[in-house]
Amino acid sequence: MKQSEEKNNAGGPARFLRTASFWALIVLIPLAIFQVMDTSRQVEKELTYSEFRAQLDADNVMKVTITEGVRVEGELRRALQENGIEIDHFNTLLPTEASQELLDQLEERGVEVEAKEAAANWVNYLVSVLPWILIIGLWFFFFRQMQTGGSRAFSFGKSKAKLLSGDTPKVTFADVAGADEAKEDLKEIIEFLKDPAKFRRLGGRLPKGALLVGPPGTGKTLLARAVAGEAGRPFFSMSGSDFVEMFVGVGASRVRDLFEQGKAHAPCIIFIDEIDAVGRHRGAGLGGGHDEREQTLNQLLVEMDGFESNEGVILLAATNRPDVLDPALLRPGRFDRQIVVDNPDVKGREGILKVHVKDIPLGDDVNLKILAKGTPGLSGADLANIVNEAALLAARYDKDRVYMDDFEAAKDKVMLGAERKSMVLSEDERRVTAFHEAGHAVVALRVPGLDPLHKVTIVPRGRALGITASLPEEDRHNYTKEWLEGQLTMLFGGRVAEETIFGRSKITTGAGNDIERATALARRMVTQFGMSDAIGPMAVGDQEHEIFLGRELSQRRDVSDQTAQLVDSEVKRILDGAYASAERVLTENRSLLDDIANALLERETLDADDIRLLEAGEPLPPLPPADGPPPAPALGPGPAEESSAADDRPLEGTGGEPTPALA
C-alpha cells in the first residue's frame, strides 16, 4: 500500500505540471496570435484606391506586390505619421484588375513591381476546420477515458470503491455489542489475514467471502467498519448500487477494476453494502432492462470464483434480503460463510445500551438492565435512537444528567409513537376511546397466558387515538396456540367494549386496524402454522399469486377452490370464537371495565401500578398539582419488561402498533 501511495504521490506533481502546461498553451497561443496581428496593424495601413493613387503621384511608393491583379501590398518611400505611429507599409484593393496604364505609371516612377498568385488563407481554413477537429478530439478523448480510465470525471468503467486511509476514524469490535457470534467469525478472518501460516499448517485456506445477513438496523455495516479498524489491511468499501450505471457494460467493468485494485493491494478486504442491488436472482426481470445487472452479477461471480482465482482478496458483503440473491452467489467458494446478525437478546441489548451511553452523564437511578428487558425485538439502531432521544429530552428540560424517566419517555416515544398533545378530541370521542382501550386492558388482565400490561393511554400517539401496551416477561421465540388465541381475543376487546357500552349502531372505525391484524393472524394460524383441525398441518400459502415463467407473467393458484373456501371458513370460525370470548370476558368484568375507562377519562394515562390498584378495587393515588413537574413514566411490571404492543384506536381505522413478530 505504501508503494501505491508513493506512486500516486509521484504521479501527482507530474500530472499537475502536464495539466498546467496544457492550459498555459491554450491561453498563450491565442494571445500570441492576437499580439502579432495587433503589431501588424501598427505598421500597415489599408489605403483606398484614391489614397494609393495620391501616394503614387507623389512618388512615395517604392515597391508593390500585386496578388491576382486586384490586391496591392506595398512599401512606402517615406513613412506616414498617424496618431504618432509611423506607417511604412500599405495595402489596397483595386476596383478592377490592374490595367496596362497603371503598370506603365508604376514603371515610369521606378516602382518595383511583383506579381504572385493568392496564397492559401490558413486562418480561414483553420476557422472552418477547427470545429470538426474539436468534435473528433472530444470523441476520441471520451472513448479513451471509457476504455482506460484517467480523469475521475470521465472514468465510467472505474470502480467507485473507497480505500480507507490511516486518518479515517477507527471503529473496533469494542464499539460493537449484541453480535458475539458474528464477531467471532469475523475475528477469525482477521487473524487469517494477519497470520495465515497458523491456519495453513493444517491445510486450511483463506475464506473467499463472508455474507452478513440480518434485519435492518442490526449493525451489519457497523461490523464491517469494525473489521476495517481491526484488520490493519487495505479495506475497500462501496455500495451495490455503485455498480449500476446508465451505460451498458459499465457495471461489469467496475467489478473488474475493483478486483484488480484488490489484487494490487492483496491481502485485502472488499466490502459491498446492500449487495442485493446487484446480486438478485437472474432471470427474474421483465423485458431487457435487467440484462445490464445480470452482466454485472456474472462478472462478480467470475471474479470471486472463476477460471482465475483472486488469492488474498476477501469479499465481505451485507444484505437484509438474502432470499432474493442468486444461488450461484451464495454457494461455498464464493461466500464461504453466511453470518447471521439478528436482533439482539436481552443481554445483547444491555451491552448495546452500555456502548451508546459511554459519553452520556447518567443519573443514579438509571438501570440499563431494566431498560434492556423493556425493549424486546428492537435492533441496535432502535436502541441508539432511544439513548439519543433520552439525551435530547433531558437537555430540553435543562437537566445536568439523563435520568431513568428520560429513558422511559424516550422508549415510549420510539416504541409507541410520539404523543400528539396538540390534537384535541371531543368529549364523545374521548369517552369512546377510553372504553375502547379499557376493553383491551380488561381482556389482557383476565385471559390467561397474555403478557402483563405496561401502559394504557388515551393520549394520541402516532396515528392512534389510544394505546394499550403489554410487555412480555422474557424473550419469546415460539408462540403457543393459546397465546395466539389470547391475542385475537385482546384485539377484539376494543370493538366488543364499544358495542357493549354504546350499542351496535354506535360502533366506530377505531377497531379497523384491530380487525385487520386479527384477520391476518388468524389466516397465518390456518395456512402457515397448522393450527386448524379442519385443514391440518398443511402449508396452504397464498391462494393466488403472480409468477414469472420465462417471458410471460401468469397467475397460478396453489390450492383448489374447495380448499380456499375451507380456509376462509376456518379463519372466520377462529375470529368468531375470539369475538365471543371477548364478549364473555367483558360481560363478566363489566365493573372493572367501567373503572378503567373512568380512570382514563380522569388521568388519560394509566401505568402498570395504577392498573393493579384498579384490579384490586383500591383507590388510585391523588394526581400531582397541575403546575407541578410532570410525573415520571412507569417502569412497568417489575423486572420483566419485554414489548409486544397491543394498541389501537388508529385514525380512520388504520395504523396502530404492529403485532409481535411471529417466528
Side-chain angles (χ1 to χ4, degrees), residues 349 372-378 411-412 415-416 440 444 449-455 467-479 483-484 486-488 490-491 514 517 521 637 640-648 656-662:
R349 293 194 297 273
K373 288 183 177 181
T375 53
L378 298 192
K411 183 186 72 173
D412 288 344
M415 297 178 64
L416 306 179
H440 287 308
L450 291 181
D451 301 322
L453 279 177
H454 168 60
K455 177 177 292 188
I467 289 176
T468 301
S470 300
L471 293 178
E473 296 180 346
E474 58 185 8
D475 283 337
R476 181 181 285 111
H477 305 288
N478 288 315
Y479 300 86
W483 188 87
L484 295 176
Q487 286 291 312
L488 293 176
M490 184 176 178
L491 286 171
D514 296 331
R517 291 162 53 199
L521 179 56
E641 312 268 354
E642 309 257 346
S643 130
S644 89
D647 71 291
D648 331 345
E657 300 295 323
T659 54
L662 300 181

Side-chain angles (χ1 to χ4, degrees), residues 542-547 549 554-559:
D542 294 334
Q543 297 180 18
E544 185 172 319
H545 59 273
E546 293 180 341
I547 59 172
L549 297 174
S554 63
Q555 301 247 341
R556 186 180 75 187
R557 300 192 65 168
D558 289 336
V559 297

Side-chain angles (χ1 to χ4, degrees), residues 527-602:
T527 60
Q528 298 181 29
F529 304 146
M531 293 182 177
S532 168
D533 295 334
I535 299 295
M538 179 179 71
V540 178
D542 294 334
Q543 297 180 18
E544 185 172 319
H545 59 273
E546 293 180 341
I547 59 172
F548 180 72
L549 297 174
R551 296 186 177 182
E552 61 182 8
L553 190 69
S554 63
Q555 301 247 341
R556 186 180 75 187
R557 300 192 65 168
D558 289 336
V559 297
S560 65
D561 293 338
Q562 182 181 0
T563 304
Q565 185 177 0
L566 183 59
V567 168
D568 291 339
S569 63
E570 281 296 291
V571 171
K572 188 176 187 308
R573 181 188 62 81
I574 293 175
L575 294 177
D576 289 343
Y579 198 93
S581 178
E583 285 183 323
R584 177 181 53 80
V585 170
L586 293 181
T587 301
E588 295 174 355
N589 298 273
R590 173 61 187 271
S591 60
L592 180 59
L593 176 67
D594 293 335
D595 292 342
I596 294 178
N598 292 329
L600 285 173
L601 289 172
E602 179 186 359

Side-chain angles (χ1 to χ4, degrees), residues 64-310:
V64 296
T65 300
I66 302 176
T67 304
E68 290 188 340
V70 294
R71 188 71 182 175
V72 178
E73 296 179 355
E75 184 177 349
L76 300 175
R77 297 181 188 276
R78 300 178 299 277
L80 301 177
Q81 297 289 331
E82 185 173 322
N83 297 328
I85 300 175
E86 292 186 354
I87 300 174
D88 55 3
H89 287 74
F90 71 93
N91 65 79
T92 189
L93 185 65
L94 302 178
T96 61
E97 290 189 5
S99 61
Q100 186 62 39
E101 180 186 358
L102 177 61
L103 296 177
D104 293 341
Q105 291 179 358
L106 292 172
E107 186 176 354
E108 288 176 2
R109 287 170 171 74
V111 177
E112 182 181 347
V113 180
E114 180 183 358
K116 66 178 182 179
E117 297 179 354
N121 192 334
W122 290 102
V123 175
N124 294 335
Y125 180 75
L126 285 177
V127 169
S128 62
V129 175
L130 186 60
W132 294 101
I133 295 176
L134 291 176
I135 292 173
I136 295 174
L138 287 174
W139 176 84
F140 183 73
F141 178 71
F142 289 150
F143 179 77
R144 290 291 303 273
Q145 291 296 330
M146 293 177 65
Q147 293 294 323
T148 61
S151 174
R152 284 187 71 89
F154 303 102
S155 299
F156 301 112
K158 294 285 288 181
S159 167
K160 294 185 178 181
K162 298 178 181 178
L163 177 61
L164 298 189
S165 58
D167 56 353
T168 303
K170 285 189 176 181
V171 176
T172 65
F173 284 132
D175 301 314
V176 182
D180 296 336
E181 294 81 2
K183 287 197 295 185
E184 289 300 323
D185 284 337
L186 294 174
K187 284 180 180 178
E188 185 175 316
I189 294 177
I190 294 173
E191 291 179 7
F192 206 119
L193 287 172
K194 292 181 176 180
D195 187 12
K198 174 182 177 181
F199 298 90
R200 286 176 178 166
R201 63 186 180 86
L202 296 178
R205 63 173 179 82
L206 186 68
K208 291 188 176 181
L211 181 64
L212 299 173
V213 179
T218 52
K220 300 182 292 297
T221 305
L222 182 63
L223 278 170
R225 293 172 59 193
V227 171
E230 296 276 357
R233 298 299 309 165
F235 189 93
F236 295 89
S237 66
M238 67 183 304
S239 171
S241 60
D242 289 335
F243 293 107
V244 181
E245 192 60 73
M246 63 180 292
F247 301 103
V248 177
V250 171
S253 175
R254 287 178 178 172
V255 172
R256 287 191 295 269
D257 184 71
L258 174 63
F259 278 86
E260 286 176 3
Q261 294 184 48
K263 285 187 285 186
H265 294 81
C268 72
I269 299 174
I270 296 174
F271 174 62
I272 302 178
D273 200 5
E274 305 295 347
I275 195 174
D276 51 276
V278 71
R280 286 178 174 266
H281 199 295
R282 289 170 290 183
L286 296 174
H290 65 291
D291 290 341
E292 166 65 9
R293 179 183 53 78
E294 290 190 3
Q295 290 181 23
T296 305
L297 174 58
N298 291 337
Q299 187 64 45
L300 181 62
L301 296 176
V302 171
E303 293 293 342
M304 291 186 68
D305 189 24
F307 191 78
E308 294 182 2
S309 61
N310 293 308

